[in-house]
Amino acid sequence: MDLDYFSDMHEGPWRAAAVVGVSALIFVAVALLLHRAGIMLLRRIARNRPYTTNAIKYGYRASQLCMVLFALRLVLTGAPENMPLLLPISRINSVLLILSLSWLAIACVNSIKSTITTLNPVDAADNLRARRLLTQTAVLTRSANFIIGLLGLGFVLLTLPGARQFGASLLASAGVAGLVAGIAARPVLGNFIAGLQIAFSQPIRLDDVLIVKGEWGRVERITGTYVVVRIWDERRLIVPLQWFIENPFENWTHTSSSILGTVFLWLDFSVPVPAIRAEFERITHASSRWDKRVCVLHVTDADDRGMQLRLLISAQDSGTAFDLRCEIREAIIAFVAANYPDSLPRLRPVLDAPGPQEDSLGKRPTHVADSPAP
């Protein structure tokens, strides 16, 4: 429908505005019908396809608004120039259309994140691949949303003459202001780049077990600027993203969630090591926390008071390994106390200590005279 004929009519501007308004209602109604028909067709085509289904679900409202604003854009393009308030209405429509397109792009990006999260649950036994994908998705989604929002804001400012002049003045007066802005933005840009590095190289992932600044915890959340580490006692450690790029830290689940645990015991030399080893293997094989990989006992050290036994066991994750270590330590100590109490660590005092006038061999010094008999 062409509205150029409005300019040839000898009608008043307000009457032309009324005709444009009626035409806008018709165009909006047609746009809504087309949107509904398109959504129904896409749902039929995208059946049993999770990515497309989620994209339709997340982008429904945004795409509907885009269709309405695009229809109004067509009407305003063909409206007569003498129509009242044509210029401000056209600018408002352009701004809203840019914002709705940005909203639609962000909704599509979020739909991809939601689909990946649904298809890769982290509550599985072996969730290494799922945590890797979710970490990449979380960081890249935030980065994409930030870029989309930045581009949308830039296009909005370009449609406003005042904003274009303001941008030109900022470029003309860059100098010191640009230097100050660059220095001020350095931490933000550093964290942004660190987030991209973490997304691709993945030194950490969601639900990874870390030792950060001497604290044991799990990665609970990765944002665009910091990482939330949930400490074992329910505290939260907030660490900037850039810190993980510039500092060393321990990651207990970088390649696998399985881990080895150790129990160290100091016992007397008289303890029968084969009996302790047999009891250790019996306890370990009977425990549901053991993953049936490693179960080894070695005498790893000795000093003048006793010997050190290292009981090495394996488990499917660090939390289970800690519980298994406690279980084995408690059982072995109880076994030794019940069956070999004399083999527990103890001090050996010298019972036959020499007297004040005897040397270490029990002989009296030759220079000490015998006291006369009474």
Side-chain angles (χ1 to χ4, degrees):
M1 180 178 180
D2 190 1
L3 300 180
D4 288 336
Y5 71 92
F6 287 156
S7 58
D8 299 330
M9 297 176 61
H10 301 288
E11 299 170 341
W14 291 105
R15 184 176 180 82
V19 176
V20 171
V22 173
S23 301
L25 292 177
I26 296 173
F27 271 62
V28 168
V30 173
L32 291 176
L33 290 176
L34 291 176
H35 177 266
R36 186 173 183 84
I39 290 295
M40 292 177 63
L41 179 62
L42 286 176
R43 284 176 177 170
R44 183 178 296 273
I45 296 175
R47 186 174 299 174
N48 299 326
R49 297 180 180 179
Y51 285 96
T52 312
T53 302
N54 268 350
I56 295 172
K57 176 183 176 182
Y58 276 76
Y60 180 83
R61 293 299 178 188
S63 60
Q64 187 180 52
L65 182 59
C66 288
M67 290 289 292
V68 170
L69 293 173
F70 185 73
L72 293 176
R73 180 74 266 169
L74 292 177
V75 174
L76 293 173
T77 300
E81 295 182 359
N82 62 344
M83 191 190 83
L85 304 176
L86 175 61
L87 185 59
I89 293 176
S90 178
R91 288 178 178 172
I92 292 174
N93 177 264
S94 299
V95 170
L96 293 178
L97 182 59
I98 293 172
L99 293 178
S100 64
L101 289 173
S102 302
W103 179 22
L104 178 60
I106 291 175
C108 292
V109 171
N110 290 336
S111 71
I112 296 175
K113 176 186 176 182
S114 175
T115 307
I116 294 176
T117 303
T118 304
L119 296 178
N120 298 274
V122 295
D123 54 356
D126 186 6
N127 60 1
L128 181 62
R129 179 177 180 273
R131 290 188 291 109
R132 181 175 65 250
L133 290 175
L134 292 182
T135 301
Q136 288 179 335
T137 303
V139 176
L140 294 178
T141 297
R142 292 189 180 94
S143 301
N145 289 340
F146 174 77
I147 294 174
I148 292 171
L150 190 62
L151 291 176
L153 180 60
F155 284 120
V156 167
L157 293 177
L158 288 177
T159 61
L160 304 176
R164 287 199 299 266
Q165 295 174 2
F166 179 72
S169 64
L170 283 180
L171 292 176
S173 61
V176 178
L179 180 62
V180 173
I183 295 175
R186 187 178 60 84
V188 178
L189 296 177
N191 281 324
F192 178 76
I193 296 173
L196 295 179
Q197 288 181 279
I198 287 175
F200 289 104
S201 61
Q202 293 203 338
I204 60 173
R205 293 174 294 265
L206 292 173
D207 205 42
D208 265 348
V209 177
L210 307 180
I211 303 294
V212 180
K213 297 183 180 294
E215 298 283 359
W216 183 97
R218 292 181 178 271
V219 178
E220 183 178 54
R221 185 184 177 193
I222 301 177
T223 70
T225 55
Y226 59 87
V227 176
V228 180
V229 180
R230 186 180 74 249
I231 309 302
W232 65 273
D233 57 0
E234 300 299 329
R235 289 178 295 145
R236 301 298 191 272
L237 186 64
I238 311 299
V239 186
L241 280 175
Q242 198 168 0
W243 187 91
F244 288 98
I245 303 299
E246 299 175 349
N247 297 276
F249 59 93
E250 294 184 30
N251 189 337
W252 289 10
T253 55
H254 184 61
T255 57
S256 174
S257 59
S258 58
I259 195 171
L260 298 180
T262 54
V263 176
F264 291 98
L265 295 176
W266 281 95
L267 298 176
D268 190 73
F269 294 109
S270 62
V271 67
V273 176
I276 302 298
R277 180 178 288 110
E279 179 65 12
F280 163 60
E281 293 176 353
R282 185 193 68 80
I283 296 170
T284 304
H285 285 73
S287 176
S288 60
R289 298 185 176 96
W290 184 51
D291 65 356
K292 299 177 176 57
R293 289 191 304 119
V294 178
C295 175
V296 179
L297 184 148
H298 291 295
V299 178
T300 55
D301 197 3
D303 59 11
D304 57 343
R305 296 183 180 181
M307 59 182 177
Q308 183 189 64
L309 275 63
R310 187 190 70 177
L311 290 69
L312 185 64
I313 40 87
S314 60
Q316 63 181 359
D317 55 59
S318 57
T320 306
F322 179 81
D323 294 337
L324 180 60
R325 290 167 55 202
C326 295
E327 177 185 351
I328 290 177
R329 185 183 297 109
E330 179 181 348
I332 293 298
I333 291 176
F335 175 78
V336 174
N339 296 276
Y340 308 101
D342 294 338
S343 297
L344 293 173
R346 58 179 177 174
L347 296 176
R348 289 182 172 84
V350 179
L351 300 180
D352 299 328
Q357 294 183 347
E358 295 180 353
D359 59 13
S360 60
L361 297 178
K363 298 180 180 180
R364 294 168 61 87
T366 56
H367 64 277
V368 178
D370 293 331
S371 58

